[in-house]
Amino acid sequence: MMYMNGMGTKQDYTKAFKYSAQSAEMGWLDGQLQLGIMYYHGYGMQRNYRQALRYFSLASQSGSTLAIYYLGIMHAHGIGVSKSCHTAVEFMKTVAEKGKPHRLFVNAYTSYKMGEIDSSLVQYLLLAELGYEVAQSNSAYIAENGFSELINNNLMLKRSLMLWSRAAGQGYGTARLKMGDYYYYGKGTEANYRTAASHYRIASEQQNIARAMFNLGYMYEEGIGLEKDLHLAKRYYDLAVETDQAAQVPVSLALMKLHFTYYYELFSKLLREFKLSSMTLYLQVWFGHNWDIYLITFLVLLSTLIYLTMQHRRLEQRRAAQRQQRR
């Protein structure tokens, strides 16, 4: 840095580059930042925006505010990278949040941990009004759980919904999921299943939230706010477990219920279409007028047993394959 800026010695870009490269290879933040600046401005060399992008990215991962700022500029103007206003805004937003309000975030969090919930909420609400997504989410969380007495109970959920909405507008996936929950259960607003489904869909497709995928699967399965479609329901259940392995248990239970529903409806349809009068009389003698319910239940249970057996065999095959790979 001293050679590059001529501080206490003669300015020498060659030596500046040499020492910056050595420190960058050792993972030193300032070395990565200085290399990025030299490549970006062409100090002592020809400009190389791709290399500048690379070193700014490395420095930003270590928390360099200046590197993040340069990344925002490069994405905003398409310098060395495809132009993306959305990405540029995200970088500039990060830079802005590292300014003076950062101390207020620390104070608000400290107040919350010390049990001074009202003081914490006031500080978070102030930051939320300034447009900080983290503050909007934290304020919504405190308000919806009733941790503070500052907000009237009647207005608590409405205020929370407004704050979650602002946070969701800035791309926070959990906030989008929360909005879906609020419209689904009618919290702070009238229940609207279609609106809930649209929020779940955004959280699923844009933020890859597994719970949103699971909720969409359930809504397709039951025909809540969406046209009933068991095939789409299974698709979203499968996506949920692919996205997050922690969803394995609830998804497995949901798929068992889904298969039960599918085969129950299938066998019911078959019995309605191919029911024979003589067979009906025979079965009624032995099982009573509800013979068809018993038969459908038996067939569904049998199908479920077959499905679980097949799943167990597939799991054993995967484990055997993994053991062979380890060997």
Side-chain angles (χ1 to χ4, degrees):
M1 183 181 294
M2 296 180 73
Y3 277 116
M4 189 175 79
N5 296 306
M7 298 169 61
T9 184
K10 184 179 178 181
Q11 191 175 53
D12 190 330
Y13 289 132
T14 302
K15 289 185 179 180
F17 179 83
K18 173 185 174 183
Y19 291 120
S20 295
Q22 289 176 356
S23 61
E25 288 177 4
M26 297 171 65
W28 192 251
L29 183 154
D30 288 332
Q32 296 165 346
L33 176 61
Q34 294 305 318
L35 275 182
I37 292 173
M38 293 184 77
Y39 277 119
Y40 183 86
H41 292 286
Y43 292 151
M45 65 182 74
Q46 187 175 356
R47 290 186 179 186
N48 189 326
Y49 292 125
R50 289 189 178 277
Q51 286 291 85
L53 182 69
R54 175 193 171 197
Y55 284 107
F56 285 144
S57 297
L58 289 172
S60 70
Q61 291 171 14
S62 300
S64 171
T65 303
L66 186 56
I68 297 171
Y69 171 78
Y70 270 107
L71 287 173
I73 293 295
M74 295 179 77
H75 280 86
H77 298 283
I79 302 173
V81 68
S82 298
K83 185 175 181 178
S84 174
C85 293
H86 177 76
T87 305
V89 168
E90 289 297 317
F91 281 123
M92 291 305 184
K93 177 174 174 287
T94 303
V95 173
E97 290 179 352
K98 286 178 173 286
K100 291 182 179 179
H102 177 71
R103 186 175 299 173
L104 292 177
F105 274 105
V106 175
N107 293 339
Y109 179 73
T110 302
S111 297
Y112 179 82
K113 296 297 289 185
M114 292 177 64
E116 300 172 359
I117 307 301
D118 290 345
S119 173
S120 175
L121 179 59
V122 168
Q123 294 176 78
Y124 276 134
L125 285 173
L126 172 62
L127 291 164
E129 290 300 319
L130 294 175
Y132 293 101
E133 172 265 308
V134 174
Q136 293 163 353
S137 301
N138 290 349
S139 300
Y141 174 78
I142 293 173
E144 76 172 4
N145 287 285
F147 294 151
S148 174
E149 298 180 356
L150 291 178
I151 302 177
N152 186 287
N153 289 334
N154 297 326
L155 300 175
M156 180 176 62
L157 291 177
K158 290 184 178 180
R159 183 72 176 181
S160 298
L161 177 60
M162 181 191 71
L163 290 165
W164 285 127
S165 175
R166 291 179 178 179
Q170 298 194 57
Y172 184 41
T174 301
R176 184 67 65 181
L177 176 66
K178 281 284 188 180
M179 289 191 68
D181 291 343
Y182 271 58
Y183 280 102
Y184 185 92
Y185 295 106
K187 296 165 62 176
T189 183
E190 292 184 5
N192 189 320
Y193 296 129
R194 287 190 176 275
T195 304
S198 68
H199 286 298
Y200 288 144
R201 195 180 303 280
I202 293 172
S204 169
E205 295 176 356
Q206 296 184 7
Q207 281 93 26
N208 290 324
I209 305 295
R211 191 179 144 198
M213 298 171 187
F214 183 90
N215 292 350
L216 277 175
Y218 179 78
M219 295 179 79
Y220 271 116
E221 179 184 354
E222 299 295 332
I224 302 174
L226 298 167
E227 186 176 351
K228 188 172 183 177
D229 191 324
L230 298 184
H231 297 289
L232 277 176
K234 183 179 185 305
R235 176 188 171 191
Y236 277 104
Y237 285 145
D238 290 339
L239 283 173
V241 77
E242 288 175 10
T243 304
D244 186 357
Q245 289 299 314
Q248 183 72 52
V249 173
V251 167
S252 297
L253 294 173
L255 286 174
M256 287 176 59
K257 176 177 176 291
L258 183 67
H259 281 85
F260 182 92
T261 303
Y262 175 78
Y263 286 113
Y264 183 89
E265 293 180 355
L266 178 63
F267 292 138
S268 297
K269 182 180 179 181
L270 290 174
L271 286 173
R272 284 196 301 270
E273 292 179 354
F274 301 105
K275 187 186 296 182
L276 300 176
S277 58
S278 58
M279 183 181 293
T280 302
L281 291 173
Y282 177 78
L283 291 171
Q284 283 181 354
V285 171
W286 286 92
F287 301 102
H289 292 286
N290 294 326
W291 65 270
D292 53 344
I293 296 177
Y294 299 138
L295 179 59
I296 291 171
T297 303
F298 171 74
L299 292 174
V300 169
L301 290 174
L302 179 62
S303 301
T304 303
L305 180 62
I306 294 171
Y307 170 77
L308 291 175
T309 303
M310 292 174 63
Q311 289 290 94
H312 179 71
R313 287 181 180 176
R314 289 173 185 170
L315 183 60
E316 289 297 324
Q317 290 174 355
R318 289 177 186 172
R319 289 176 178 173
Q322 289 176 354
R323 290 194 207 102
Q324 291 179 355
Q325 289 177 356
R326 289 174 184 171
R327 292 176 185 174

